Amino acid sequence: MASSGTCCLAGIISNGMLYVANAGDSRAVLGRVKKGTKETLAVQLSAEHNVNIETERHDVRSKHPYDPQIVVMKHSVWRVKGIIQVSRSIGDAYLKKAEFNREPLAQKFRLPETFFKPILSSEPSISIHKIQPADQFLIFASDGLWEHLSNQAAVNIVSNNPRNGIARRLVKAALKEAAKKREIRLSDLQKIEQGVRRHFHDDITVIVVYLNRKLIDNSSLCSSPLSIKGGRHVNF
């Protein structure tokens, strides 16, 4: 259990404001209609805590100035202590409390040295966004989606297709890209058992939230405010 962990991405709408909290490398993206063109643009609302991002590596190193091995390159990927790419998460107790860095923890997770302060953090970064009339929808998704689709590509899919089944459509688009990168057909990728498929693509979780401006404007007058319409979720 000490080696289990997860990223977390949450959004709350209150009094016309959107609050997004993120710990890990999931991402929230807003679809906003551009004035005069009716084009829907992608606006990223969250910051990712992945040490493959240079600014995040600098941040982690600044918090652990006496550990030259706090972030190292392994298998062509930057990782915290050579183990994990994210610098913030829920769980992963073995990288937060030294008492869990011992048996029965599997050897591949154990660090050779003890530590005296948490290596990973569970503190989320929080962004605040005032919802505008041009804001149409939100996409909340794990890094498995963004590994294969750009922000704008995902927004284009949502804005150009019916609401029903839209999250599943996004997942399918990401899987098509994953199959294309490996030069195989999507149907062949889908036949691969789950444990092995992890080598082809990461887990993908998607939630699409359509914004209803009228309900958002009236939310401050309600004891149990409604602020979304037509949410769609799918997990692969």
Side-chain angles (χ1 to χ4, degrees):
M1 291 177 65
S3 64
S4 297
T6 185
C7 299
C8 184
L9 176 65
I12 297 174
I13 294 176
S14 177
N15 296 325
M17 304 295 290
L18 169 65
Y19 302 85
V20 176
N22 184 48
D25 55 6
S26 295
R27 185 186 303 170
V29 172
L30 170 73
R32 173 186 289 165
V33 174
K34 185 178 180 181
K35 291 181 180 179
T37 66
K38 294 186 178 181
E39 179 185 3
T40 306
L41 301 179
V43 180
Q44 185 168 325
L45 299 178
S46 59
E48 286 145 63
H49 310 120
N50 186 312
V51 293
N52 281 289
I53 301 171
E54 186 175 1
T55 53
E56 190 64 20
R57 287 201 300 278
H58 289 326
D59 183 63
V60 172
R61 285 168 174 159
S62 68
K63 293 174 180 176
H64 301 270
Y66 303 109
D67 186 353
Q69 299 297 312
I70 188 65
V71 181
V72 297
M73 178 76 75
K74 188 173 183 180
H75 303 310
S76 301
V77 175
W78 288 102
R79 301 175 187 271
V80 178
K81 302 302 288 185
I83 298 174
I84 190 170
Q85 295 182 50
V86 296
S87 57
R88 306 191 196 190
S89 70
I90 294 175
D92 295 311
Y94 72 109
L95 291 174
K96 294 175 180 175
K97 293 187 177 183
E99 64 191 87
F100 295 111
N101 184 36
R102 59 176 178 79
E103 292 184 346
L105 184 69
Q107 184 65 45
K108 66 178 179 178
F109 293 115
R110 264 183 271 159
L111 300 178
E113 72 284 348
T114 190
F115 54 91
F116 303 97
K117 61 182 292 187
I119 295 171
L120 298 187
S121 169
S122 57
E123 186 74 19
S125 60
I126 299 174
S127 64
I128 302 173
H129 170 75
K130 181 174 177 59
I131 297 176
Q132 306 293 329
D135 297 343
Q136 301 299 302
F137 54 82
L138 300 163
I139 304 172
F140 285 68
S142 63
D143 66 313
L145 182 82
W146 307 116
E147 181 182 355
H148 300 291
L149 295 181
S150 67
N151 293 351
Q152 191 60 52
V155 163
N156 289 345
I157 290 171
V158 176
S159 62
N160 294 323
N161 288 282
R163 294 186 177 189
N164 188 38
I166 194 62
R168 186 175 295 275
R169 188 182 293 270
L170 283 170
V171 171
K172 187 174 182 178
L175 293 178
K176 282 183 176 179
E177 288 299 316
K180 183 178 179 181
K181 290 175 183 178
R182 292 301 189 99
E183 299 181 342
I184 61 175
R185 294 178 299 181
L186 174 60
S187 58
D188 293 331
L189 175 64
Q190 293 173 321
K191 294 175 183 177
I192 301 173
E193 59 185 76
Q194 288 188 356
V196 178
R197 272 178 66 176
R198 189 64 181 265
H199 298 291
F200 291 78
H201 66 84
D202 206 344
D203 296 338
I204 305 175
T205 298
V206 181
I207 298 174
V208 178
V209 179
Y210 291 93
L211 300 172
N212 185 318
R213 184 70 202 186
K214 184 180 293 186
L215 291 178
I216 293 170
D217 288 340
N218 293 333
S219 65
S220 61
L221 304 177
C222 305
S223 58
S224 300
L226 292 173
S227 57
I228 63 174
K229 183 178 181 182
R232 298 290 185 265
H233 165 269
V234 67
N235 179 27
F236 274 72

